[in-house]
């Protein structure tokens, strides 16, 4: 093994830039869901202009449920605080829940507590509810 004594030779000159979002200092904004009128506290942490991928911090108030809906993208929810209540179970802090594209889902907070989570999409955000006519995926198996 060769010992490197000159540290300058080990530092890459092609270093990547970093993007930092200090969520602890960012004010809460509002993420509006036009179809339902829901106004969700949010912090936009990152969006990729090339892919449309987004990372947001969102909060559902106690008792809120985002009723049956689908997305034209996959998305994940990393629970920071509270319990995420979904159609498949409940998930507390530290859980990462991935929702593949093409299915129908419900998720929200429990009746007693708010839930705060990171919301990560792999494409530009979109949402379609059961009451809408232009549904990209069938609600029921054929």
């Amino acid at each position: 093994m060769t010992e490197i004594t000159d540290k300058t030779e080990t530092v890459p000159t092609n270093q990547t830039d970093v993007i930092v979002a200090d969520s602890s200092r960012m004010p809460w904004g509002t993420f509006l869901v036009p179809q339902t009128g829901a106004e969700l506290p949010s912090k936009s942490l990152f969006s990729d202009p090339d892919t449309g991928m987004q990372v947001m911090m969102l909060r559902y108030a106690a008792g809120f449920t985002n009723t049956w809906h689908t997305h034209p993208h996959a998305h994940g929810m990393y629970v920071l605080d509270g319990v995420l209540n979904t159609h498949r179970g409940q998930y507390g802090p530290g859980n990462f829940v991935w929702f593949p594209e093409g299915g129908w889902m419900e998720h929200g907070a429990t009746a007693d507590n708010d839930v705060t989570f990171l919301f990560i999409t792999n494409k530009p955000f979109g949402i379609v509810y059961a009451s809408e006519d232009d549904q990209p995926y069938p609600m029921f198996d054929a």
Side-chain angles (χ1 to χ4, degrees):
M1 184 168 177
T2 305
E3 184 178 332
I4 299 174
T5 56
D6 184 1
K7 296 273 185 196
T8 60
E9 292 180 32
T10 64
V11 177
T13 58
N14 184 21
Q15 297 178 19
T16 187
D17 286 334
V18 297
I19 298 169
V20 177
D22 185 352
S23 64
S24 66
R25 295 180 185 267
M26 295 173 78
W28 285 94
T30 301
F31 185 82
L32 175 64
V33 181
Q35 297 97 317
T36 64
E39 295 182 358
L40 307 174
S42 67
K43 296 182 182 191
S44 180
L45 303 178
F46 177 77
S47 69
D48 183 338
D50 296 328
T51 65
M53 184 273 277
Q54 294 177 279
V55 180
M56 295 180 277
M57 184 183 296
L58 292 171
R59 180 176 294 144
Y60 289 155
F64 175 82
T65 298
N66 200 1
T67 58
W68 289 110
H69 66 280
T70 188
H71 298 276
H73 54 77
H75 69 287
M77 300 169 87
Y78 180 80
V79 182
L80 299 169
D81 184 45
V83 175
L84 179 67
N85 189 29
T86 79
H87 65 284
R88 293 287 191 201
Q90 295 185 335
Y91 307 94
N95 279 277
F96 180 74
V97 183
W98 185 252
F99 297 87
E101 181 176 340
W104 286 82
M105 66 205 72
E106 283 189 314
H107 44 71
T110 60
D112 300 327
N113 294 296
D114 295 353
V115 62
T116 305
F117 53 94
L118 294 179
F119 184 83
I120 305 158
T121 68
N122 67 336
K123 297 177 190 174
F125 180 82
I127 190 166
V128 177
Y129 288 90
S131 61
E132 295 181 72
D133 293 330
D134 192 21
Q135 298 173 355
Y137 306 105
M139 285 189 72
F140 303 101
D141 294 329

